[in-house]
Amino acid sequence: MRRIAASLIALFLVAGSVHAQRSAPRIEDASFMTIGGIEQWVTIRGDDRGHPVLLLLHGGPGDVQSPFVSTYAPYEKDFVLVQWDQRGAGRTFAKNGAAGVTRETLIADGIDLAEQLQKRFPRAPLILFGHSWGSIIATGMAQQRPELFVAYVGTGQVTAWADTVQFQFDFLKQRYQEKGDTAALAALEAIGKPDPKNVGQYFGFSRPIRQNMNASDTAWLSGLRNLYSASGETEAALEAIGDGSSASGSALIGASVATDLPATATSFKIPYYVIQGRHDLFAPTPLVEAYFNKVSAPKKRLIIIEDAGHFALATHQAEVIAALKAVIQ
């Protein structure tokens, strides 16, 4: 009986070991990590820890995406998805406030995080994936430490603030002419040529841009309240997200206004890819195409998603994932 019992125990342990091995590849961590000398919130999720690591840098500034687990779950099938609440944003803001939030510190923080990821996943390729404001930080990271990454990928790719201001001004002017909105058109004509350094003027005339977004962007922004409610975040956490976004926006507006990537960031030592929504009005696609044509890199490719806008990574996950898989192969 003892031999039978021992055999059964051995079989049980072997079966348990096999089950553990089969379930081990899944990774799902959500915790504070010491980055840049402070505790910052990082989530790491993926169906197989051996897959390529996709480091997603959120936009905004301060527009954290880590609460939207279900939205980004499709990425976890093919990648180990890393989301980071940047300094001054989300849970990182709730813990530390917005002290020290600059473009330079965010780039340094991102490099610190990338180094830690490389040590944790030494055999996995690390892909840098920047959205909107995050593409500014990702560009700085790629230029300063290209050896950390197998590729740069931008979406909602930022170009130059001044060019974006002029594009949106001209876009709205044309729309008002088409609609016969003489009052709105007169207001723009009174401005003449917008001053990109006049932030108050810009935010004043550009508000109607949201009324002209494509359907997917409109749906995404209008559904955010429900997404936050479904995320399980506490009221305090949601308040911190809003406060962090405001604080980051104020701290980084000067850096945003000064941004001119077509003049300062055209040479990359790693493959350079952009996945762009055709109807992006926040990072206008014609400007992105012009910037892309200036870039020199070992490999480069621009992929346009025709029916998408600025938030393609959230609204068109399947297309973006397919594009990511295509460019990293």
Side-chain angles (χ1 to χ4, degrees):
M1 290 295 293
R2 288 182 179 178
R3 288 182 180 178
I4 294 173
S7 297
L8 289 173
I9 291 171
L11 286 170
F12 176 80
L13 291 174
V14 169
S17 175
V18 170
H19 176 74
Q21 290 174 6
R22 287 176 179 172
S23 61
R26 170 72 188 175
I27 183 169
E28 189 159 354
D29 292 346
S31 62
F32 284 101
M33 294 174 56
T34 301
I35 301 169
I38 65 171
E39 295 298 295
Q40 303 197 40
W41 183 253
V42 177
T43 65
I44 305 175
R45 295 187 172 93
D47 288 348
D48 188 330
R49 65 182 65 232
H51 281 166
V53 178
L54 185 65
L55 174 54
L56 172 59
L57 274 64
H58 65 72
D63 185 22
V64 297
Q65 300 292 288
S66 60
F68 307 136
V69 176
S70 61
T71 298
Y72 291 94
Y75 290 86
E76 298 171 13
K77 180 180 178 181
D78 298 290
F79 303 96
V80 174
L81 177 65
V82 179
Q83 295 218 50
W84 159 46
D85 288 13
Q86 297 164 24
R87 185 185 296 254
R91 287 178 181 262
T92 302
F93 171 79
K95 196 172 187 68
N96 303 285
V101 175
T102 67
R103 176 179 176 274
E104 290 71 25
T105 55
L106 292 181
I107 291 172
D109 287 348
I111 290 171
D112 188 352
L113 173 56
E115 289 175 334
Q116 295 187 52
L117 291 172
Q118 196 174 66
K119 290 177 181 177
R120 183 168 180 178
F121 304 97
R123 297 179 182 177
L126 178 56
I127 305 158
L128 187 55
F129 189 31
H131 173 238
S132 194
W133 162 263
S135 70
I136 299 175
I137 305 306
T139 295
M141 292 166 61
Q143 297 222 300
Q144 290 185 26
R145 294 293 303 279
E147 75 279 5
L148 292 172
F149 312 104
V150 297
Y152 169 93
V153 184
T155 185
Q157 175 66 51
V158 170
T159 55
W161 173 273
D163 292 342
T164 300
V165 170
Q166 187 65 55
F167 180 96
Q168 293 180 344
F169 184 87
D170 294 340
F171 174 87
L172 288 173
K173 193 172 181 179
Q174 182 177 346
R175 279 298 171 93
Y176 297 151
Q177 289 172 339
E178 292 170 351
K179 293 179 178 179
D181 190 338
T182 55
L185 183 59
L188 292 190
E189 289 176 339
I191 292 174
K193 182 176 177 61
D195 178 2
K197 295 182 179 180
N198 187 336
V199 176
Q201 180 192 76
Y202 168 71
F203 286 114
F205 82 73
S206 67
R207 285 193 186 94
I209 282 291
R210 290 199 172 203
Q211 300 170 17
N212 292 276
M213 296 183 302
N214 84 319
S216 64
D217 276 356
T218 299
W220 169 252
L221 291 179
S222 64
L224 283 178
R225 185 182 297 275
N226 290 335
L227 281 174
Y228 279 122
S229 298
S231 70
E233 297 282 354
T234 64
E235 285 297 323
L238 294 178
E239 185 176 349
I241 289 172
D243 291 345
S245 182
S246 296
S248 292
S250 297
L252 295 165
I253 186 62
S256 295
V257 171
T259 298
D260 189 353
L261 297 185
T264 62
T266 56
S267 179
F268 290 79
K269 295 181 179 179
I270 57 176
Y272 180 91
Y273 305 114
V274 176
I275 303 169
Q276 187 74 11
R278 172 66 73 190
H279 305 291
D280 192 333
L281 293 179
F282 297 104
T285 299
L287 301 182
V288 175
E289 291 173 317
Y291 173 36
F292 177 83
N293 289 335
K294 282 187 165 187
V295 168
S296 63
K299 294 180 180 179
K300 69 175 189 174
R301 185 176 173 186
L302 172 62
I303 298 173
I304 301 293
I305 301 177
E306 292 296 339
D307 61 341
H310 189 64
F311 301 99
L313 79 168
T315 63
H316 290 68
Q317 300 103 319
E319 292 93 328
V320 173
I321 290 167
L324 284 168
K325 291 168 68 177
V327 298
I328 65 169
Q329 288 178 351

